[in-house]
C-alpha cells in the first residue's frame, strides 16, 4: 500500500534517529502587504506512535492543501506537537531591517523558544548563522520534513486568519480574499486608493508607482 504524504514526511524525520525534532518555516515572505509570520514546531518522536501520530497522516506542505484542510491540519499539529512557537514580524520591522534579515531573526527566535531543546532543528532552506541553535537547512523542507511542514501549516493558518480580520479595518483592498499577496484586484486597489499602513513600502511593486 502506498504511503500517505504525511507518512513520508514523518519517515524523513524519524530517519534522523533522534527523539526531538524541531521544524521552522514562515508564511507571507512574498506578500505585498501584511506581516511575516514565522512558526517553530517541536515533535517528540518517542511519543508520536500509534493513535497519537494518526492525526498527522495527511500532513503536507501548506501550499499544497486547501483552506479547510489547512485548518484541520492546524488543529492536528497543535494537538500532536510538544511545543509551538510563533513570531509575528510587523510591516514596519520588515521595511526597517529588510525582509530577509527579519525572517532569519524570527526563525532563530522560534527555534530558541522550543523546549526541551531539539535534538535536530530543521529549517526550510535557510542557514541562520552561528547565533541560532545548531540546525540544518533543508531545501524544499516543507515538502520533505514533517516538522517543517507542521511549522508551515501553523504559520500559514495564523497569518491568513490575521489578514482576514484586518480586512475589516482596510476593506478597500480585499485582504480577505488574497491575504496580502499580489493579485490583479489587489494591484488595482493600490493604484486607486494608494497603499495603506499594511503595505510593505520596501516591496518593489509596479502598483506603487501608479499610486
Amino acid at each position: 500500500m502506498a504511503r500517505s504524504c504525511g507518512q513520508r514526511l514523518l519517515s524523513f524525520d524519524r530517519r534522523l534517529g533522534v527523539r526531538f525534532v524541531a521544524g521552522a518555516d514562515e508564511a507571507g515572505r512574498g506578500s505585498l502587504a501584511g506581516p511575516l509570520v514565522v512558526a517553530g514546531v517541536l515533535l517528540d518522536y518517542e511519543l508520536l506512535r500509534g493513535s497519537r501520530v494518526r492525526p498527522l497522516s495527511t500532513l503536507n506542505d501548506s501550499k499544497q492543501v486547501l483552506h479547510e484542510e489547512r485548518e484541520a491540519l492546524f488543529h492536528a499539529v497543535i494537538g500532536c506537537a510538544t511545543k509551538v512557537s510563533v513570531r509575528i514580524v510587523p510591516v514596519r520591522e520588515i521595511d526597517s531591517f529588510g525582509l530577509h534579515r527579519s525572517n532569519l531573526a524570527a526563525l532563530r527566535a522560534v527555534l530558541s523558544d522550543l523546549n526541551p531543546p531539539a535534538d535536530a532543528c530543521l529549517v526550510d532552506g535557510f542557514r541562520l548563522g552561528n547565533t541560532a541553535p545548531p540546525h540544518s537547512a533543508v531545501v524544499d523542507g516543507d515538502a520533505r520534513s514533517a516538522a517543517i511542514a507542521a511549522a508551515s501549516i501553523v504559520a500559514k493558518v495564523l497569518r491568513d486568519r490575521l489578514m482576514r480580520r484586518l480586512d475589516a479595518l482596510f476593506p478597500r483592498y480585499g485582504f480577505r480574499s488574497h491575504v496580502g499577496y499580489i493579485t490583479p484586484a489587489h494591484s488595482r486597489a493600490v493604484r486607486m486608493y494608494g497603499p495603506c499602513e499594511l503595505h510593505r513600502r520596501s516591496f518593489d511593486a509596479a502598483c506603487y508607482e501608479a499610486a
Side-chain angles (χ1 to χ4, degrees):
M1 181 182 295
R3 293 188 303 171
S4 69
C5 181
Q7 289 170 326
R8 177 175 56 80
L9 298 174
L10 290 159
S11 294
F12 179 92
D13 290 4
R14 289 192 190 280
R15 285 197 297 272
L16 298 173
V18 297
R19 177 175 178 178
F20 292 104
V21 179
D25 200 7
E26 82 285 325
R29 184 176 173 83
S31 180
L32 177 66
L36 186 71
V37 176
V38 180
V41 172
L42 183 67
L43 300 178
D44 181 350
Y45 279 95
E46 188 171 298
L47 296 180
L48 284 180
R49 299 184 182 279
S51 61
R52 291 191 177 189
V53 76
R54 199 166 297 136
L56 298 180
S57 62
T58 59
L59 185 62
N60 201 350
D61 169 13
S62 64
K63 297 184 292 296
Q64 302 302 316
V65 293
L66 299 175
H67 169 72
E68 294 77 10
E69 295 174 285
R70 280 198 299 268
E71 286 286 341
L73 283 169
F74 174 83
H75 291 290
V77 169
I78 297 302
C80 291
T82 296
K83 185 75 178 287
V84 174
S85 175
V86 176
R87 285 287 194 280
I88 298 177
V89 184
V91 170
R92 62 181 179 276
E93 186 172 326
I94 294 170
D95 285 344
S96 295
F97 299 104
L99 176 65
H100 186 61
R101 183 178 174 186
S102 299
N103 187 31
L104 296 187
L107 287 166
R108 286 192 290 267
V110 295
L111 288 178
S112 298
D113 285 343
L114 298 176
N115 189 54
D119 301 306
C121 292
L122 308 177
V123 182
D124 187 21
F126 295 111
R127 293 291 303 172
L128 307 181
N130 295 332
T131 59
H135 61 283
S136 298
V138 182
V139 177
D140 295 327
D142 47 7
R144 298 174 63 191
S145 158
I148 297 178
S152 81
I153 291 289
V154 171
K156 175 64 174 168
V157 167
L158 292 180
R159 187 179 186 278
D160 284 1
R161 288 179 182 177
L162 176 60
M163 291 304 295
R164 291 188 175 107
R165 289 180 182 138
L166 289 170
D167 180 78
L169 298 178
F170 303 93
R172 293 175 168 179
Y173 298 94
F175 293 135
R176 177 170 291 279
S177 60
H178 54 65
V179 296
Y181 288 90
I182 294 180
T183 66
H186 190 184
S187 296
R188 283 195 301 272
V190 173
R191 285 193 293 268
M192 183 177 298
Y193 304 114
C196 73
E197 63 190 77
L198 290 182
H199 286 96
R200 302 175 187 175
R201 305 307 174 92
S202 54
F203 199 112
D204 185 14
C207 58
Y208 286 163
E209 298 172 5

